[in-house]
Amino acid sequence: MFYLTLRKETPLIFKVSVPIASILLTILFGIFIFSVLGYDSGKALYHFFISPLSRIDRIADLFVKACPLMIVGTGLVLCFRANIWNIGAEGQLIMGAVFAGGLALSFPNTNSVWLLPAMAVLSFIGGGLWAFLPAILKVRLRTNEILVSLMLTYVASLFLDWLVRGPWRSPTSFGFPLTNYYPDAGLISKINFPGIGTIGQLHWGVFIAILVCLLCWFMMQKTVFGFQVKLVGDSHKAFRYSGFSESKTTMMLFIISGGLAGLAGMIEVSANIGQLQPNISFGYGFTAIIVAFLARLNPAAVILAGLLIALIEMGGDSAQIALAIPKVVTGVFKGILLFLLLAGETLTKYQINVKPRQRSVPND
Amino acid sequence: MIKCSFIEIELFKKKITKSMKPHSALLESRDISKSFGSFIANDKINFNILEGEIHGLLGENGAGKSTFVKMVYGLLEPTMGALFWNGNPIKIRGPQEARNFGIGMVFQHFSLFPTLTVIENIELALSDTQALPELRKTIIEKSQEFGISVDPDTYIRDLSVGEQQRVEILRCLLQNPKLLIMDEPTSVLTPQESEQLFVILNKLAATGCSVLFISHKLKEVKEITQRATILRRGRVVDTVTSSEVSTEQLAKMMVGSDPQHVKPKIGTKSNDILVQISGLCRPADTPFSTPLLDINLDVKAGEIVGIAGIAGNGQSELMEALTGEWRSRDSIKVLDVLGVDIRDYSPHKRRQMGIGFLPEERNGHSAVMGMTLTENTLLTNHNNPEVQKHSIIQNDNLEKLTSNIIHDYDVRTPLQNPLASSLSGGNLQKFVVGREIIKKPSVFFVAQPTWGVDIGATKFIRNALIDLANEGCGIIVISQDLEELFELADSISVLFRGKLSERKPVKELNSQKIGLLMGGEDGASLAKEHS
């Protein structure tokens, strides 16, 4: 039997060699599957890893793609640190977009500078409200937050569907399920670098996303609330001894992570789409779960994890387009990559022991 | 009925004594030692168990009984020494191997699946599978042989605790054990159930199976065992023939002789009553928790009140009521501290009033092992305006406070700001005690202040508590360590089955008297139990 024990100290050689080994293994594995399937493995790997980084505007697009993942991911980090399982960020993201969209669509002719901030606040409220439901049910009725938050995702998704097909459908959309375009004051503009102009699709939302991650990192490191989050995740008894209220903390965390997901939804629509439609998220709320764990539940590391996932996603798209590699093959490769990455990370932290270990038996 | 079973037991005892072969040690422990870090849980344990003998292992909580039997059952590896089985040295690497040798064990907390039937639970534990009808036959045979009445098809959830224990025993018996270890078997039983258990154990011994009976209850050990080995602080005090010693002698061996004071208390108690508790009741939350029955207590300034008693008699329940981790307006008549009704106050609010409290468990209750010492300081200081401003942690001040605690309370740390888990038990306990005392609380509730702590740290902590009382703090110390209570307390009362005995000044008490009260063996409660 193999089992893992925590290393007291990771030798430097491991810290360096293990990540290199997992990258090499990924490449070897990539060469293997792509050549077995009859693709040029060199080109495939190029499109996966190099192409998205080959031009400054592509790098900028990487940030754009990572933007919702960062915002949602950092909210989830807070929850997961506290051992609270909010799986419904996708639904909270949609509700945030709906709340913000409702406001934007109600003022089609405004050019007030306050529209965007108001939309941001409303999106936070919308997402927070959607997360409040599983939270209050968990605290009051001891329901399972995983189930409730997940199921509410489908409710939110269908609600948006109904809105854009029904009451909010644009009279000029030729029957397509689309709303009117937001007024310009409700759109997030691209960043205009002085002397350079815009770079790719890079917009101000990306700036907000990085700011949110850093703020959350600061909160976790430096505030009593951050300590509270870590404590409730570590030990309920010590948490109660410390005098904090468990149910209040649970509610707060749900609302913050839901609110952030809502904000991500608003930014996604205002920066990239400009109107509401049935599909406004490409599973960001779910992908962000991977991002949160890839970042080892550290809000600052969410920035890097979000970028990495964005890279894999865009590399996969790029390989599909350039070499006509089927989506399932890029999917398998993405899976392998994540697996090796996490395995490498685990092996630097833990060591494998091979001594036979007593199987636990009912009598123990 | 009880009388009848007493006679039965006497009969069995005689039978056994006759049939006992001399010098046929089934299991012998030679110099078995076990240490956890710097803490020595078992120090050169030497004794043997004869074939067909019921052997008692007696000691207070923390004396090292559990550590020892875990080594016999293969759950722990001895640091030193060896076990001999029928005269041959053996190494037991796990419970499965222990069972192969013929060692069975019934734990204090059962491991049965409530939603499965008796027969299904037994089947699950067997190493080789048997056809169910055959198994049913064996179960019925075994249960008739030993007078264990259990219906194989009842669900575990429908059984009483005593019946569940019988299922556990039955499960061991199917493996035809040569040695059955019972870890505090009566701690969850009613007196009547205990008597029934003793009948079963005697029948078992009569067939040649040895029993290692672990307990801290003197009366029982004297009643059921032929010989008993007494452990104190990880060492064997003596192995005695149970019929030749009195419970008083056993008590004295178990708790040790009357100790010396650590430091004289100089502060005189004033007449200011700081804590007033009356009519505190608490219903049991689970089958394993103890209800508190009408607790009345008051503490004056500068006074240390000791609460003795063996674990599981309501100590943790009482502590939770004092800290505010459990609170109720309806079940408590009066809970006033410093003249304020605190029945509704959260731990946080109580702390703000200048009440300090420290629960028994270090691991994950009074300290978080995976956090650093500064974070552990924050645990009970997060409202201190020095430590946080507008909820932003002031790291400099927090670190200063932490290093003050480390310095003033002589905490030896391996690094600058280590994880709590890297400290020895004694050092961590000095740290958490210091963390509470440095705040100069006006009232302090503490449970097991020196639990599993080495002697040096023990003296240090006790001196710190006495200093605190000398400055006028009112202290309640809940402890199972009588030596500790004699050193610290002005007066002591005993918690037994959720009831607090009449409080008496330390001068009128000795360890024998309290030892008896702790085992529920005072005249009054005996009379009550048998009525």
Side-chain angles (χ1 to χ4, degrees):
Chain A
M1 285 291 277
F2 296 99
Y3 66 103
L4 298 173
T5 48
L6 194 66
R7 285 180 202 278
K8 280 211 176 90
E9 237 177 301
T10 309
L12 189 68
I13 180 99
F14 267 81
K15 280 185 187 162
V16 180
S17 64
V18 170
I20 294 174
S22 34
I23 291 168
L24 283 178
L25 270 174
T26 312
I27 291 172
L28 276 178
F29 203 89
I31 292 172
F32 174 73
I33 52 169
F34 291 130
S35 35
V36 162
L37 291 166
Y39 298 101
D40 183 336
S41 53
K43 272 189 184 161
L45 289 172
Y46 168 81
H47 282 288
F48 246 101
F49 296 113
I50 313 291
S51 166
L53 299 171
S54 62
R55 291 201 328 242
I56 183 88
D57 60 326
R58 289 196 182 150
I59 296 178
D61 289 348
L62 211 59
F63 276 87
V64 172
K65 182 92 177 165
C67 171
L69 294 177
M70 291 179 195
I71 303 179
V72 181
T74 198
L76 292 183
V77 161
L78 302 184
C79 276
F80 295 167
R81 269 307 269 274
N83 275 331
I84 294 167
W85 305 104
N86 177 8
I87 305 297
E90 181 81 1
Q92 292 141 21
L93 184 147
I94 292 171
M95 288 313 276
V98 165
F99 270 57
L103 186 72
L105 295 170
S106 319
F107 295 97
N109 301 315
T110 182
N111 50 15
S112 162
V113 288
W114 294 106
L115 181 61
L116 263 183
M119 283 167 70
V121 170
L122 220 58
S123 69
F124 194 94
I125 294 174
L129 195 71
W130 214 239
F132 175 76
L133 294 174
I136 188 91
L137 286 172
K138 177 186 167 70
V139 169
R140 286 286 148 80
L141 302 174
R142 308 223 159 274
T143 59
N144 183 323
E145 78 269 28
I146 299 177
L147 274 178
V148 178
S149 63
L150 180 63
M151 290 192 296
L152 281 172
T153 296
Y154 303 109
V155 178
S157 173
L158 290 170
F159 180 61
L160 172 66
D161 206 74
W162 172 73
L163 281 176
V164 296
R165 286 173 204 280
W168 286 8
R169 190 172 67 188
S170 166
T172 59
S173 72
F174 304 106
F176 283 106
L178 299 166
T179 63
N180 281 332
Y181 278 102
Y182 291 1
D184 282 352
L187 297 178
I188 293 172
S189 56
K190 292 180 186 145
I191 302 177
N192 198 347
F193 293 93
I196 306 171
T198 59
I199 304 173
Q201 301 296 316
L202 198 66
H203 56 74
W204 284 104
V206 173
F207 175 74
I208 302 283
I210 293 173
L211 196 68
V212 164
C213 290
L214 293 178
L215 273 177
C216 284
W217 176 81
F218 178 82
M219 193 184 79
M220 286 299 287
Q221 292 293 313
K222 300 281 175 192
T223 67
V224 174
F225 184 72
F227 174 70
Q228 211 172 318
V229 172
K230 285 184 259 179
L231 189 59
V232 75
D234 264 11
S235 164
H236 290 275
K237 269 187 145 182
F239 187 80
R240 273 189 304 167
Y241 168 64
S242 186
F244 296 117
S245 154
E246 216 170 325
S247 45
K248 270 187 208 154
T249 310
T250 304
M251 307 260 277
M252 280 285 278
L253 285 170
F254 254 107
I255 290 169
I256 291 173
S257 75
L260 286 176
L263 182 68
M266 173 257 167
I267 290 176
E268 188 63 14
V269 175
S270 282
N272 298 331
I273 309 174
Q275 68 192 136
L276 287 178
Q277 58 189 45
N279 294 311
I280 54 168
S281 164
F282 299 97
Y284 294 127
F286 295 117
T287 313
I289 298 172
I290 305 174
V291 171
F293 279 106
L294 201 60
R296 288 272 146 194
L297 303 186
N298 176 342
V302 164
I303 300 174
L304 294 177
L307 285 171
L308 181 70
I309 295 284
L311 173 72
I312 299 172
E313 295 274 330
M314 286 181 62
D317 289 351
S318 157
Q320 277 176 49
I321 294 162
L323 300 175
I325 297 175
K327 199 180 168 195
V328 283
V329 176
T330 61
V332 167
F333 184 63
K334 281 189 244 172
I336 296 287
L337 197 155
L338 277 178
F339 172 79
L340 288 170
L341 217 76
L342 289 172
E345 153 76 45
T346 308
L347 287 181
T348 49
K349 277 206 164 165
Y350 297 85
Q351 66 189 48
I352 303 177
N353 296 9
V354 253
K355 211 176 103 192
R357 187 196 196 187
Q358 278 306 322
R359 274 188 37 219
S360 56
V361 277
N363 241 13
D364 289 355
Chain B
M1 187 217 147
I2 288 163
K3 248 191 182 166
C4 180
S5 55
F6 268 131
I7 293 165
E8 248 179 286
I9 290 164
E10 286 308 311
L11 278 174
F12 275 117
K13 266 192 187 167
K14 269 176 203 154
K15 255 194 229 169
I16 293 153
T17 334
K18 269 182 208 160
S19 64
M20 225 161 49
K21 284 174 274 173
H23 308 304
S24 55
L26 176 73
L27 180 81
E28 189 182 348
S29 165
R30 283 192 206 158
D31 287 342
I32 287 277
S33 301
K34 177 76 191 172
S35 43
F36 301 99
S38 63
F39 175 66
I40 300 167
N42 275 182
D43 190 4
K44 291 189 181 153
I45 303 291
N46 283 303
F47 74 97
N48 60 45
I49 302 167
L50 305 178
E51 222 170 277
E53 176 191 34
I54 301 182
H55 194 102
L57 193 56
L58 181 71
E60 287 185 289
N61 253 301
K65 297 168 300 191
S66 294
T67 308
F68 179 75
V69 291
K70 276 182 185 161
M71 287 190 281
V72 176
Y73 198 55
L75 290 167
L76 287 176
E77 223 174 298
T79 320
M80 258 170 39
L83 290 170
F84 289 76
W85 185 256
N86 286 323
N88 305 313
I90 52 165
K91 249 202 158 117
I92 303 170
R93 275 179 293 255
Q96 189 59 51
E97 258 184 59
R99 282 194 289 271
N100 291 344
F101 276 114
I103 301 172
M105 179 152 176
V106 175
F107 286 84
Q108 203 170 349
H109 298 295
F110 309 141
S111 44
L112 297 167
F113 297 96
T115 50
L116 298 180
T117 62
V118 170
I119 189 166
E120 285 166 341
N121 265 288
I122 291 175
E123 195 197 0
L124 270 176
L126 293 180
S127 29
D128 37 28
T129 43
Q130 272 186 44
L132 270 183
E134 226 174 289
L135 181 63
R136 181 187 309 273
K137 225 179 89 188
T138 332
I139 290 176
I140 292 171
E141 275 172 20
K142 280 279 176 196
S143 53
Q144 277 169 354
E145 186 182 345
F146 294 103
I148 304 172
S149 50
V150 199
D151 174 5
D153 294 311
T154 6
Y155 286 95
I156 296 296
R157 58 161 187 255
D158 297 332
L159 296 177
S160 74
V161 181
E163 287 168 322
Q164 289 185 23
Q165 189 180 53
R166 270 174 253 156
V167 176
E168 287 265 7
I169 296 173
L170 197 57
R171 188 155 79 174
C172 287
L173 292 186
L174 288 192
Q175 324 238 5
N176 295 314
K178 296 192 182 68
L179 171 66
L180 182 65
I181 304 172
M182 304 281 304
D183 190 6
E184 303 274 357
T186 56
S187 60
V188 288
L189 300 183
T190 64
Q192 287 80 4
E193 282 174 326
S194 298
E195 294 302 339
Q196 286 167 358
L197 172 70
F198 294 164
V199 174
I200 294 169
L201 292 185
N202 276 313
K203 279 188 183 160
L204 194 61
T207 66
C209 176
S210 310
V211 177
L212 184 58
F213 184 89
I214 298 151
S215 183
H216 54 243
K217 296 184 185 166
L218 314 164
K219 193 182 92 187
E220 280 171 15
V221 169
K222 202 171 145 39
E223 181 180 329
I224 180 80
T225 68
Q226 277 93 52
R227 291 189 308 155
T229 297
I230 300 104
L231 290 185
R232 190 171 72 227
R233 286 186 180 259
R235 294 207 176 127
V236 173
V237 179
D238 201 359
T239 298
V240 296
T241 305
S242 308
S243 54
E244 290 169 4
V245 288
S246 63
T247 47
E248 283 80 7
Q249 282 170 306
L250 282 175
K252 189 159 177 159
M253 283 191 268
M254 186 167 96
V255 297
S257 51
D258 295 339
Q260 305 288 311
H261 263 271
V262 171
K263 194 183 205 182
K265 278 192 66 193
I266 45 157
T268 41
K269 302 184 277 182
S270 70
N271 279 329
D272 301 343
I273 292 179
L274 299 184
V275 183
Q276 205 173 2
I277 304 167
S278 96
L280 189 160
C281 299
R282 178 178 180 184
D285 314 322
T286 69
F288 292 109
S289 64
T290 311
L292 294 177
L293 309 165
D294 190 26
I295 305 282
N296 300 295
L297 195 67
D298 56 71
V299 185
K300 289 180 184 137
E303 184 182 35
I304 301 181
V305 176
I307 294 179
I310 291 151
N313 277 292
Q315 284 91 339
S316 45
E317 287 82 359
L318 177 61
M319 192 62 194
E320 281 178 2
L322 294 176
T323 63
E325 283 162 82
W326 172 84
R327 46 187 186 267
S328 162
R329 185 163 262 283
D330 304 328
S331 310
I332 306 173
K333 268 200 203 108
V334 179
L335 179 57
D336 285 357
V337 175
L338 308 169
V340 181
D341 176 5
I342 62 161
R343 286 180 295 178
D344 286 337
Y345 280 28
S346 71
H348 182 71
K349 247 178 149 178
R350 291 183 193 200
R351 211 174 271 128
Q352 278 179 308
M353 286 176 58
I355 305 175
F357 36 84
L358 193 62
E360 152 185 2
E361 177 69 48
R362 283 187 290 277
N363 185 355
H365 198 172
S366 67
V368 182
M369 296 313 230
M371 287 189 166
T372 61
L373 288 191
T374 48
E375 285 174 306
N376 273 294
T377 308
L378 192 58
L379 193 68
T380 58
N381 283 291
H382 52 81
N383 214 51
N384 178 344
E386 294 271 298
V387 166
Q388 58 104 0
K389 286 201 177 77
H390 309 296
S391 137
I392 290 172
I393 299 162
Q394 306 296 307
N395 254 329
D396 290 351
N397 289 342
L398 181 62
E399 271 160 27
K400 214 163 72 195
L401 177 59
T402 309
S403 58
N404 282 348
I405 297 168
I406 289 173
H407 178 260
D408 292 0
Y409 292 88
D410 189 32
V411 182
R412 311 224 172 115
T413 60
L415 303 158
Q416 192 55 41
N417 185 23
L419 291 178
S421 58
S422 68
L423 261 61
S424 71
N427 272 310
L428 185 57
Q429 186 68 16
K430 281 196 277 189
F431 179 77
V432 291
V433 168
R435 181 186 68 193
E436 301 313 313
I437 293 183
I438 210 167
K439 291 197 268 187
K440 303 273 171 231
S442 18
V443 171
F444 192 43
F445 305 134
V446 56
Q448 295 293 144
T450 59
W451 182 250
V453 167
D454 57 279
I455 293 170
T458 298
K459 295 259 183 257
F460 190 93
I461 290 169
R462 290 180 191 165
N463 280 330
L465 287 171
I466 285 179
D467 284 339
L468 188 67
N470 285 342
E471 285 164 27
C473 176
I475 304 179
I476 296 181
V477 181
I478 300 176
S479 179
Q480 291 160 54
D481 187 342
L482 286 185
E483 193 185 314
E484 173 159 281
L485 292 179
F486 277 109
E487 283 182 3
L488 292 176
D490 297 299
S491 57
I492 297 177
S493 81
V494 176
L495 197 57
F496 181 69
R497 296 201 180 146
K499 270 193 108 143
L500 209 51
S501 74
E502 196 191 332
R503 186 165 125 199
K504 289 200 173 113
V506 166
K507 285 173 205 117
E508 295 173 21
L509 290 166
N510 58 35
S511 58
Q512 279 87 345
K513 273 188 195 164
I514 293 193
L516 291 176
L517 278 169
M518 280 165 72
E521 216 192 79
D522 72 310
S525 74
L526 252 190
K528 251 184 219 164
E529 262 170 48
H530 281 252
S531 67

